[in-house]
Amino acid sequence: MATKLAGDPNGLRRAHVPLDEKLPPGVKPVFSESGIEMKPVYTAADIGREGDTLERPGQYPFTRGIHAEMFRRRPWTMRQYTGFGNARATNERFLYLIKNGQTGLNVAFDLPTQCGLDSDDPAAEGEVGRVGMAVDSLRDFEVAFEGIDLDKITVSLTINGTAAILIAMYLAMAEKKGFDIKGLRGTAQNDILKEFVGRGTWIFPVEPSIKLVGDTIEYCARHAPKYSPVSVCGYHIRESGCDPVEEMAYAFCIAKAYIDETLKRGLAIDDFAGRLSFNFNIFGKIFEQVCKFRGGRRLWAKILKEQYAATDPDTMWLRMIAGGGGFGLTIDQPENNIMRGAYYALIAALAGAQTVALCCYDEAYTIPSPKAQRISLRTMQLLIEEMGLCDTVDPLGGSYFVEALTDKMEAEMRRTMARVDELGGIVKLIAEGRLQDHVSQQAYEHEKKVESGEVRKVGVNCYRVEEDEPDVEMHPTKPEDLALQLASLATIKAERSAVEVGCALDRLEADARAGVNTMPAIMAAVKAYATVGEMTKVLVDVYGRYREPIRFAAE
Amino acid sequence: MTSARKIKVLLAKPGLDGHDVGAKVVVRALLDAGFEVVYTGLRKTPEEIAKRAKEENADVIGMSILSGSHIPFAQRFRKLWDEYNLGTKLWLIGGNVPKKDHGALKDIGVDAVFATGSKLDEIVTYIKEQTARWPRN
C-alpha cells in the first residue's frame, strides 16, 4: 500500500527503521545515514536467516563477493580518474600513473566533449581542456593512448551524453592499433539516466537517450563482447544528496531500465547483462557502507535470477568500481581528506570492490595534482602491501552486526525499489524531475545539519583552529593547450575526406530517423574522422534537446 | 504592515558545468529565507542569463561556477550588463573560486564571492543586509 508521508510531494521520502526493542535507559538512539536505527550490541539472535552462515564468496547470491578467492588471486584494480588539457598532456599523466603502479585508467573529458561540442564551438569558449581531456576526433584517442598496452591496462571512459561516439572512438582506435576488439576489455560510464539527476551532461531527451544506451549495449554484445558498455552510477545520485540505501536502489532501477531496453532488441539476458557494471560511492559510515555492498550484491543477484531468469552466474555478479567520496571531503583542513580517503579505501577493501578509484585530497575543488594522485595510489598500495587487506575474503562475514545490517540494507533497498515502481518507474520520476527534487531536498537538509552541528564534520563544525582559512588552488590551464587543440582540429578537418564524412553523417541521420541501431553508422563516421560536434548535431536534429524540469517542491 | 515586494534572486548556472548540488541547495535556502528565487537550470550562456535577468527584473543575480571558468564568464557577463540595461543591484558568484581570484572578480564588478565552504547563513545574511537599505516598491 502506498502510504504518503506528510510533507512528501515526491512520494519518495523513506521512513526511519526503528529498533523493535527498547534502548537501555540513558542510551541515545543512533541512526545510520539510511535511517536504520543501530543497536548498541548485536548478538546471534540478530541474525534472522540461518542461510547467512552458509553463504560463500563466489556462490549465489554473492553476498560475500563475486569471486571465491577475491583479492588472493588479484588485488582490486586501482583506477584513478585523470585527464586534462589535450590528448598529449593526458597521455603523459597516464604514463606517469602507470609507472607508479596504477593498474587501470579512468579518463576525464572536458565539458565540451561531454556535452557534444567541438573545441572550436563558440559555446565551448573558456572550457576546452579545463576539467578533462578535449576530444574532437579519433585522432585525439590515437594520441592519448600512445604507448599503452590496452590488453594489460583496462580503460574506463567517464562519458555519458556522447558515450556512443566515444565508445566508437575507443573501439576504432584499438582496432587501428592492432588489438582485437572481440577480446578488448574496458568500460564506459554511459549511464545517461543518472546524468539527469546529478552531473548534468545530458544532451537529448530522456527516451532517445535510453535508446542510445541500448544501441551501445547491443552493439558491444555482438561485436566487443568483453567490453562493458555501461557503468550504472549510484555514485552521482549519492553525491547529489541521496542516502546509501537509495543510492543502490535507484542504480538498480536504472540498470533495469537499460536491461529492459536491450531485451527489446532480441538479445537474451545472459548475452549482455554480465557486461553491465556499476559505480558506487564509498563515503559515509564504515559498516553501513560495507553492508550496502554486501546487501547490494545479494539483491542484484536475486533480481537477475528471479526477475530475468538469468542462468549464467556472471550475469548475476554486481561488478563495480567503488570510489570517489567527494561529498564526504571538505575544503576546510584539506589534509584531513587524506585520512578520510584512507578509511574510504578500507571500506572498499572490506566490501570486496573489484576496482577502486579513490578521491584525492584536493579533489573537492580541482583536478588533482600529481602528488595528490600518488598519495591516493599509495593509500591503496599500503592496504594491499602492508595491512593484509587482500589476505582473506569478506573478513567481516559472520559478524552479528554486519550480517544483521546487511539484511536490513537489502530489505530497505528492495522496499525503495518497490516504491519507485509504485510511482510509475524510475524513467517517469526522472523525466518529471521528481527524483531530482527529492534528492536535492536531502542535500539541503544535510547542509543545514552540518551548519547546525547536528551532523559532525571534523575541521568544519568541530575541531576548527584559528588559522583555518580555506582556499583552493586550481589546476592550471595552459593557453597553448587550447591553441594546440584548435590547430589539431583544423588539421584533421583539412586532411580528411569531406565526401566520406558527409556520407557517414547522412547515414547516421538516416539510421537515427529509422530507429535502427546507430552504432554501425557512428563507427563509420568516427573512422572517417567526423567530429564529436558534427555527430552530436546530427543526433540533436533528429532527437531534439532535453529540457530540464525545474522543480523545488517544499518537502 | 508594509506590502513590500519580495526581493527577487536569479540563480544561474553559466557554462557547461553540471555540478548543481550547491546551486540547488542555495535556491532552497533563499526560498526558506523568504526571497523569490528563479533558478535557470544548467548550461546557460551569459546572453541567456542577462536576458532572463532582464525579463524577471531580478534584484540579485547569483552564479554558481565550479569548473574554474569564473573569470572568463564574469568578463563576458559584465559586457552584457549595459547592453541589457540590467537594473540588478547585486551580483554574487559562488563555487570553486580561489582567493587570488576574488579581487579580479570584484574589479570586474562582482559584489561578493561565496567560495566552496561558505555557509548558507552567510549568503542569506549578506543579501538581507545589502537589500535592507533598498527602497521597496
Side-chain angles (χ1 to χ4, degrees):
Chain A
M1 200 178 74
T3 44
K4 202 170 158 182
L5 297 171
D8 182 20
N10 299 302
L12 285 161
R13 189 160 278 249
R14 293 183 48 249
H16 274 190
V17 185
L19 291 180
D20 47 12
E21 62 182 45
K22 268 204 148 130
L23 286 172
V27 177
K28 281 191 192 156
V30 169
F31 291 88
S32 78
E33 276 190 275
S34 305
I36 297 169
E37 191 173 358
M38 298 284 149
K39 290 187 181 190
V41 179
Y42 286 78
T43 66
D46 292 304
I47 304 184
R49 293 157 9 96
E50 205 143 312
D52 285 347
T53 53
L54 300 174
E55 285 187 335
R56 293 277 180 277
Q59 289 178 19
Y60 181 84
F62 306 105
T63 311
R64 304 194 61 194
I66 60 172
H67 302 300
E69 291 91 18
M70 286 304 296
F71 306 142
R72 281 295 281 270
R73 288 202 184 271
R74 196 177 67 181
W76 62 88
T77 302
M78 292 170 273
R79 196 192 293 286
Q80 297 297 95
Y81 186 46
T82 314
F84 51 85
N86 54 28
R88 179 66 58 202
T90 300
N91 178 258
E92 282 168 17
R93 183 70 73 91
F94 285 166
L95 295 172
Y96 168 86
L97 289 168
I98 292 168
K99 199 177 101 196
N100 273 281
Q102 179 161 304
T103 45
L105 295 171
N106 187 355
V107 191
F109 297 100
D110 71 357
L111 285 163
T113 304
Q114 296 192 52
C115 297
L117 302 168
D118 285 338
S119 299
D120 57 1
D121 191 306
E125 190 187 326
E127 316 238 30
V128 176
R130 196 178 277 276
V131 302
M133 165 172 106
V135 173
D136 293 312
S137 75
L138 177 59
R139 180 61 46 83
D140 297 306
F141 266 60
E142 291 165 4
V143 171
F145 296 100
E146 252 172 38
I148 296 169
D149 183 347
L150 302 180
D151 281 337
K152 288 212 178 89
I153 297 284
T154 55
V155 176
S156 175
L157 308 175
T158 301
I159 194 73
N160 296 277
T162 50
I165 296 168
L166 270 73
I167 289 172
M169 282 187 182
Y170 189 76
L171 296 177
M173 175 274 297
E175 248 176 23
K176 275 191 90 165
K177 289 186 191 285
F179 296 96
D180 180 4
I181 67 165
K182 280 248 170 304
L184 191 70
R185 290 176 187 276
T187 312
Q189 193 162 89
N190 196 21
D191 171 11
I192 198 65
L193 282 170
K194 71 91 174 46
E195 292 289 316
F196 297 116
V197 185
R199 217 176 167 282
T201 66
W202 36 259
I203 299 171
F204 316 108
V206 175
E207 290 297 335
S209 292
I210 297 170
K211 192 257 175 199
L212 280 173
V213 174
D215 286 358
T216 60
I217 299 174
E218 183 189 9
Y219 186 85
C220 289
R222 298 188 196 280
H223 302 280
K226 303 277 185 202
Y227 193 82
S228 296
V230 177
S231 179
V232 181
C233 300
Y235 178 94
H236 305 87
I237 307 180
R238 170 88 166 128
E239 289 281 320
S240 298
C242 81
D243 71 35
V245 159
E246 291 173 328
E247 174 189 3
M248 304 300 279
Y250 297 154
F252 291 164
C253 289
I254 288 172
K256 286 180 64 181
Y258 299 144
I259 288 177
D260 295 342
E261 169 69 28
T262 311
L263 287 172
K264 286 195 243 162
R265 320 284 178 108
L267 287 170
I269 188 78
D270 287 311
D271 290 343
F272 70 92
R275 297 319 312 171
L276 298 181
S277 63
F278 288 87
N279 180 345
F280 294 117
N281 224 311
I282 44 176
F283 76 88
K285 315 268 182 206
I286 288 183
F287 295 104
E288 182 178 26
Q289 290 300 313
V290 171
C291 296
K292 172 181 92 174
F293 292 120
R294 297 179 90 252
R297 269 196 299 263
R298 188 196 281 156
L299 178 55
W300 185 243
K302 287 180 185 171
I303 288 170
L304 266 297
K305 187 176 174 135
E306 293 166 9
Q307 297 177 23
Y308 290 102
T311 54
D312 188 344
D314 285 22
T315 311
M316 304 172 207
W317 288 354
L318 183 73
R319 286 172 217 270
M320 62 168 146
I321 180 168
F327 197 90
L329 305 187
T330 65
I331 201 160
D332 299 276
Q333 301 181 9
E335 298 84 356
N336 294 349
N337 294 332
I338 299 175
M339 274 79 82
R340 288 192 181 98
Y343 294 122
Y344 297 164
L346 178 66
I347 287 169
L350 291 173
Q354 305 85 63
T355 301
V356 183
L358 191 58
C359 247
C360 301
Y361 68 85
D362 54 359
E363 203 156 334
Y365 47 85
T366 189
I367 292 172
S369 61
K371 187 176 173 193
Q373 279 190 319
R374 195 163 66 188
I375 289 174
S376 289
L377 204 48
R378 294 288 180 264
T379 302
M380 293 188 276
Q381 288 160 340
L382 278 166
L383 290 179
I384 293 169
E385 305 292 346
E386 296 183 15
M387 304 289 172
L389 265 292
C390 294
D391 298 352
T392 306
V393 184
D394 187 33
L396 300 181
S399 145
Y400 303 136
F401 171 43
V402 167
E403 295 296 354
L405 187 55
T406 298
D407 290 353
K408 281 242 159 85
M409 294 293 282
E410 181 197 354
E412 286 301 305
M413 288 172 207
R414 203 183 269 282
R415 197 194 309 274
T416 305
M417 291 181 73
R419 184 71 186 136
V420 168
D421 288 343
E422 275 173 14
L423 292 168
I426 197 84
V427 175
K428 180 167 179 279
L429 287 174
I430 290 172
E432 292 174 356
R434 289 166 72 186
L435 190 75
Q436 295 87 315
D437 187 32
H438 168 67
V439 169
S440 112
Q441 174 68 18
Q442 291 182 83
Y444 176 48
E445 284 165 16
H446 176 82
E447 179 60 26
K448 282 199 293 189
K449 284 179 187 164
V450 170
E451 293 193 9
S452 73
E454 187 184 336
V455 168
R456 307 272 275 176
K457 278 306 264 188
V458 172
V460 176
N461 59 18
C462 52
Y463 311 108
R464 289 186 62 83
V465 285
E466 263 322 295
E467 63 266 29
D468 285 350
E469 267 282 321
D471 194 12
V472 297
E473 196 167 323
M474 303 292 278
H475 175 84
T477 46
K478 296 187 198 146
E480 57 267 34
D481 281 352
L482 173 64
L484 278 171
Q485 188 64 26
L486 293 176
S488 151
L489 177 56
T491 308
I492 287 290
K493 282 185 176 172
E495 286 175 358
R496 65 187 187 176
S497 154
V499 175
E500 199 187 342
V501 172
C503 289
L505 292 176
D506 287 347
R507 178 185 165 196
L508 175 58
E509 182 178 351
D511 284 2
R513 285 201 194 282
V516 300
N517 194 318
T518 53
M519 280 301 282
I522 293 175
M523 282 294 284
V526 158
K527 287 177 185 170
Y529 292 88
T531 64
V532 172
E534 289 164 342
M535 288 180 269
T536 304
K537 187 181 174 303
V538 166
L539 294 173
V540 166
D541 288 346
V542 177
Y543 297 138
R545 277 191 185 277
Y546 174 66
R547 289 179 64 87
E548 191 182 356
I550 306 289
R551 184 180 156 98
F552 292 95
E555 282 196 3
Chain B
M1 292 292 288
T2 57
S3 59
R5 134 182 124 77
K6 283 184 178 180
I7 296 289
K8 197 178 207 179
V9 183
L10 178 78
L11 220 140
K13 282 291 301 177
L16 308 179
D17 165 35
H19 291 88
D20 58 1
V21 179
K24 287 177 168 178
V25 163
V26 171
V27 167
R28 289 177 194 279
L30 295 175
L31 287 170
D32 275 358
F35 296 105
E36 187 179 349
V37 187
V38 177
Y39 175 59
T40 62
L42 294 177
R43 238 181 277 172
K44 300 300 170 194
T45 63
E47 289 75 14
E48 285 167 329
I49 297 166
K51 187 161 168 282
R52 190 76 188 272
K54 184 67 187 170
E55 283 166 5
E56 300 281 353
N57 194 18
D59 302 298
V60 181
I61 296 177
M63 294 182 179
S64 162
I65 308 170
L66 284 90
S67 63
S69 311
H70 41 272
I71 289 183
F73 272 111
Q75 284 166 337
R76 282 171 65 190
F77 192 73
R78 182 65 192 87
K79 286 184 192 152
L80 300 169
W81 200 275
D82 301 327
E83 189 181 319
Y84 283 81
N85 190 24
L86 295 183
T88 304
K89 302 177 189 81
L90 207 54
W91 180 15
L92 317 174
I93 286 186
N96 288 336
V97 182
K99 278 213 173 60
K100 63 177 175 54
D101 292 348
H102 292 203
L105 287 174
K106 287 185 179 164
D107 289 345
I108 294 168
V110 176
D111 293 290
V113 177
F114 293 95
T116 306
S118 301
K119 304 279 176 285
L120 295 172
D121 265 356
E122 292 170 38
I123 301 170
V124 168
T125 306
Y126 177 82
I127 300 178
K128 279 188 173 163
E129 281 174 2
Q130 295 296 311
T131 57
R133 301 193 297 268
W134 297 352
R136 306 285 185 93
N137 47 34

